[in-house]
Structures are given as structure tokens and as C-alpha cells.
Amino acid sequence: MKNLTANRIIEFRQQIKCIGIFFLICIVPLALANWFSENRLVFHIILFIDGWLTWTFIEYILHRFWNHSKSADKQNAIVQRHLHHHTHPTEIKVTGKQRLAMVLIGFVLISISSRTDNFITFLAGIWIGFFWFFMMHYFLHQRWSKKVFPRLLEYHITHHCKEPDRCFGISCTCWDLVFGTGPSSKKLISEKVTAFYFKGHKHD
């Protein structure tokens, strides 16, 4: 019980530290957006990038502190579902309806932001970031990804099979770099590990 409480305190402090650093970093693009407010194209580009960056941080926080929480109850549904994903890495699917819905929502947000000419572009950036994460996670569990996204694939395999407490970034690895949770070594991924990761896929 004491260890559980101690872990909760440690994780809480780590999250607060991460969030604080994130806000300090994001102040810069917001200040730039305000600085270039008269140039609407630059204004919207900066806001969109900042929105995307915000999603990558949310992705990192959720993956590190929610999916891999050391203080959560072992029967926690979120932790259990993610643990199942680690032990059954190929059981991940993205339906055509899901893809279509995400594309349509992204299109609507971008259309609204272009018409209203305001900070909704930031939300569009977050949504596109989420969509890219959603698809990228699916891509990284397909054999063909080793030809298209070799570095991200190796990074994700490291998280899945070698260092589950590191390499939390999926669509973007920058926050692992910022917070020191990247891979602890640069050892090559063995064929045995790769075979486990892709088990269930019979074709490249």
C-alpha cells in the first residue's frame, strides 16, 4: 500500500513537471502567432502546428501515465486493455468508417477555421494530430511499415518488446527526447523479437 501511494505521488509530480515544461514550450508558438497576426497565412500555419504539437504531448502523457501507470489498480480497465495490446500486438484494426469519420471531422474543422479566421485552427491541428496518431499506430503494426517508417517502427517495437517504460511516442518521438524517456540503448531488434511483434501477419 505504501509503495502504491509513493508511486502515485511520484507519477503526479512527474506529470506536473511534464505539463509545466509543455506550457513553457508552447508559449513560444502562441507568441509567434500573435506577433504574425496581421499575416493570416502565417498565423494559421503556426496555430495549426501548435495544435498538432499539443496532440503529440497529449498522446505522450496518456501513453506514459495512463496506459503504463505504476500506481493504478491492476484491474484498471485502461491498463488492462493496453496490456492486452502489448501481449497481442497485431490485434489492432481501423475500419473504413472510422477513417472516413475522422477525415470528415478534420475537413469540417479546417473549413470552419478558414471561414471564421480565428483560433479554431488550433483545434484543427489537434484533431489532425490525433488522426495521424490513430493511423500511424495502425501502420506500425503492419509489416510493410518497416519499409516506409523504419525508424518509428524500431522505436515502437522497442517499447512493445524491450522497454515498455520508455519510448512512449508513437506518431512523434520528440517528447521522449525532451523528458528523457527514449530508448536506453541502441541495440538492434532481433529477428525473434520482430517475429513476436508481427505474429499473425503472414505476408509482408
Side-chain angles (χ1 to χ4, degrees):
M1 187 66 181
K2 289 183 178 180
N3 289 336
L4 184 62
T5 302
N7 284 336
R8 285 176 178 169
I9 293 173
I10 292 172
E11 283 191 345
F12 178 75
R13 288 176 176 173
Q14 288 174 335
Q15 286 187 70
I16 294 300
K17 179 182 178 181
C18 290
I19 292 170
I21 292 174
F22 165 74
F23 276 114
L24 287 175
I25 291 174
C26 279
I27 285 175
V28 176
L30 287 176
L32 284 173
N34 185 61
W35 181 269
F36 288 102
S37 59
E38 292 185 5
N39 187 325
R40 303 312 288 176
L41 177 61
V42 175
F43 172 79
H44 285 292
I45 289 174
I46 293 174
L47 280 183
F48 185 86
I49 292 174
D50 199 32
W52 168 80
L53 188 65
T54 298
W55 165 256
T56 63
F57 176 74
I58 294 171
E59 169 193 319
Y60 175 86
I61 286 291
L62 292 179
H63 194 185
R64 178 180 175 182
F65 295 109
W66 290 62
N67 291 337
H68 288 275
S69 174
K70 295 180 180 179
S71 62
D73 189 306
K74 291 183 179 180
Q75 301 305 314
N76 181 285
I78 295 175
V79 174
Q80 284 296 313
R81 187 162 54 247
H82 194 68
L83 179 61
H84 179 83
H85 172 60
H86 269 255
T87 55
H88 301 79
T90 58
E91 292 183 10
I92 180 171
K93 296 180 180 179
V94 178
T95 67
K97 289 182 179 179
Q98 289 173 326
R99 288 193 290 265
L100 179 60
M102 289 187 171
V103 169
L104 288 175
I105 292 172
F107 178 77
V108 169
L109 282 173
I110 291 174
S111 297
I112 292 174
S113 66
S114 65
R115 290 175 181 274
T116 56
D117 193 27
N118 58 28
F119 283 86
I120 291 179
T121 305
F122 177 78
L123 297 179
I126 290 178
W127 182 259
I128 296 303
F130 169 70
F131 174 67
W132 181 240
F133 150 77
F134 192 79
M135 295 306 302
M136 179 57 72
H137 194 203
Y138 172 75
F139 294 157
L140 292 178
H141 285 278
Q142 311 304 312
R143 279 190 178 274
W144 54 261
S145 64
K146 62 185 177 183
K147 298 176 182 178
V148 184
F149 309 107
R151 295 184 67 181
L152 273 178
L153 175 62
E154 184 176 333
Y155 202 85
H156 198 53
I157 291 178
T158 298
H159 169 73
H160 257 267
C161 305
K162 299 181 69 177
E163 298 184 279
D165 291 332
R166 306 184 75 85
C167 304
F168 298 106
I170 296 173
S171 65
C172 176
T173 61
C174 66
W175 296 111
D176 281 307
L177 179 63
V178 172
F179 300 121
T181 53
S184 60
S185 65
K186 293 185 178 181
K187 293 182 180 179
L188 296 176
I189 305 296
S190 69
E191 288 297 325
K192 184 178 180 180
V193 170
T194 303
F196 167 78
Y197 179 80
F198 283 122
K199 68 179 181 180
H201 289 288
K202 297 181 180 179
H203 304 287
D204 286 334

